[in-house]
Every structure is written in structure tokens, then in C-alpha cells.
Amino acid sequence: MKKRESYKKHLNRGVMAVSFAVIFIVFSIMGGRIQAFADDAVATQTDAAKSNSSGPVTTGLAIDGYYGEWSQYPSADITYNSNNGYSVHKGQIAIDGDRLYVHFSMNDLYTSQMQFQFWNITVDGKQCVLNVLPVNSDGSINWSGQMYNLDEGIYRNFGVFAGYYTDIDGDVAFTVYDAAHTETGKGDEIEFSISMKKLADYLGINIDQGATITVSNPNIGAQGVTITGTPTGPWAGAAMAMALATGGVFVCRRKKR
């Protein structure tokens, strides 16, 4: 009788552990969405901005002009030493497989369109310029394409080129929320990704998992964003919780025998 009660007690603990893990995973996934909805409630946005921020939030990064998934990643302040906390732009960087992802957002008080053509990237001390330029449907540079005075919307007709216009398989989304760029509107945002292999070929180096990569935009601020190695993100905690829960069930089964 005592053995049966002991088994039930351990089984209940295992079930509770599994339930905790499931809840933890759900909240890990939903964290980005909750933060995105909270930001929507606070910010004063145009109709275009509200429509854009209600887009899909994925567990992985996607270049689509919807930025909710970036809430899962740390950010750096980008500024020219401003004392105004509202005048701070944000920068983020992440690695997923062969792709390097970059996200920058302008503060809401910035009254001009983001200057997003020139970027500096440094990989283990080796630096080059990245050019974000309009492209044609075949991926070639559209030298007459419009880059300034853009209307509200998400723009996908841009590519990324290293140095003197070497294609590095860039994917870009640039968002204008308020074409007039008033202080009551939301600042522009951009996200782009590039092939790390093509960047390495251009630089003539090998980029391993421990590489230190920094991206900055001299027209936005003096600071850059840096990443070393490949981040694990919020899934690490969820995986650990699931491992603990699985271990609890395993103990119960062992005791049953």
C-alpha cells in the first residue's frame, strides 16, 4: 500500500513537471507577442503603423517588415550622446544558420527619413561597407530607384551589396510609418539579412561560430551592435525545462519497476 502511494506521489510530481514545462514553452513563444501588443498600446501611430505592427510574430527571424520577433533579442542604444531618453535609436543583430540579421529602428522624435544606404560591418577586425540599394526584379541594382521621400508602407525592393557593389544575397524590408515624420508619428524601421558565406568570400576570411561581428550606421549614431558566436535565444530555457520534466517522469517509471 505504501509503495502504491509513493508511486502516485512521484507520478503526480512528474505530471506537474511536464505541465510546468509546457506552460514555460508557451510563455517563451508568446513573450514576443505580448511585448509587441504592449508597445502598440503605448505608441501613437498612424494607420499604416498600426496595420504593420499587427502583423505575424514568428519564433524565428523573417525579413518581412514585421518586427515583433525582434523583441526576443537584446538591443543596443544608438545615439550621438543625446541626453534625451526619447531620442535613442535601437539596433539589434542575430545569427541564424548562414544568415546574419540586422534590425535598426529610429526613435519617434526623429523628424527625417532614416538614412539607410550606408552601413559599416566588421568581422574579427576586418571591415567593409555595406550598401543598401534599390534593385530590379532580377536583383540587379536599380540606379534610378527611389530611396528618399518614401510614402508610408513596407518596401522590399532593396538589396545589400558589399564594397563596390558585390552582391551578398541581401534581403531587405524598410518600413515608413509616418511619411511626414512628425514627432507624434512612429520612427522608421529596417531589417535585413545577408549571407555570411558570401560576406566571408568577399572579405577573404573564414567566419567561424566564435566570430565577433559589429554593424553600425554612421548616419544614425556613433555606436554599433555586436554579436559573438551564435545565440541560443529563449528556447534554451524552454529546452531545459522540458529536460527536467522528462527526467521527472523517468524517475517515476523507474520507481514503478
Side-chain angles (χ1 to χ4, degrees):
M1 187 69 178
K2 290 182 178 181
K3 289 183 177 180
R4 181 176 298 178
E5 291 177 355
S6 176
Y7 165 68
K8 289 182 177 179
K9 185 183 294 184
H10 286 294
L11 181 60
N12 289 335
R13 289 177 180 173
V15 172
M16 290 176 64
V18 173
S19 300
F20 172 77
V22 171
I23 294 172
F24 188 93
I25 292 171
V26 170
F27 275 96
S28 295
I29 297 172
M30 292 296 295
R33 300 186 184 186
I34 294 172
Q35 182 61 45
F37 292 145
D39 290 344
D40 276 351
V42 173
T44 301
Q45 303 176 355
T46 62
D47 290 341
K50 291 178 181 178
S51 174
N52 182 61
S53 60
S54 64
V57 178
T58 62
T59 55
L61 292 171
I63 304 301
D64 53 11
Y66 300 100
Y67 306 95
E69 65 267 30
W70 282 102
S71 64
Q72 304 174 68
Y73 297 85
S75 65
D77 292 344
I78 309 296
T79 180
Y80 279 110
N81 300 317
S82 171
N83 293 322
N84 185 342
Y86 294 100
S87 296
V88 176
H89 314 303
K90 295 293 183 180
Q92 294 172 282
I93 190 171
I95 297 172
D96 187 6
D98 176 56
R99 307 292 295 182
L100 176 70
Y101 290 83
V102 177
H103 169 235
F104 273 62
S105 59
M106 306 300 288
N107 70 71
D108 296 344
L109 298 181
Y110 194 75
T111 56
S112 300
Q113 182 182 300
M114 176 193 290
Q115 298 185 51
F116 60 91
Q117 180 176 352
F118 298 110
W119 303 78
N120 294 321
I121 185 168
T122 304
V123 182
D124 287 341
K126 193 153 189 179
Q127 184 178 13
C128 76
V129 173
L130 299 181
N131 300 280
V132 175
L133 298 169
V135 294
N136 299 304
S137 58
D138 62 357
S140 61
I141 298 175
N142 179 3
W143 293 107
S144 61
Q146 186 177 1
M147 292 192 66
Y148 306 103
N149 301 317
L150 299 174
D151 292 329
E152 295 175 8
I154 299 173
Y155 294 84
R156 300 298 316 281
N157 58 319
F158 294 100
V160 185
F161 304 85
Y164 289 103
Y165 315 119
T166 298
D167 186 4
I168 51 174
D169 191 20
D171 190 12
V172 182
F174 176 64
T175 304
V176 176
Y177 297 97
D178 176 13
H181 293 94
T182 61
E183 292 187 359
T184 58
K186 182 173 171 56
D188 301 337
E189 287 190 73
I190 190 172
E191 60 181 354
F192 64 85
S193 70
I194 60 174
S195 166
M196 293 179 64
K197 182 181 183 304
K198 290 194 174 184
L199 176 64
D201 290 342
Y202 176 81
L203 294 174
I205 61 175
N206 292 320
I207 302 179
D208 58 29
Q209 292 186 349
T212 298
I213 303 172
T214 300
V215 176
S216 63
N217 183 319
N219 292 311
I220 294 177
Q223 299 83 3
V225 288
T226 299
I227 191 170
T228 299
T230 305
T232 55
W235 285 99
M240 184 178 296
M242 179 57 77
L244 290 173
T246 306
V249 175
F250 179 73
V251 170
C252 290
R253 291 179 176 173
R254 284 287 299 269
K255 288 188 175 292
K256 180 180 179 180
R257 293 177 185 176

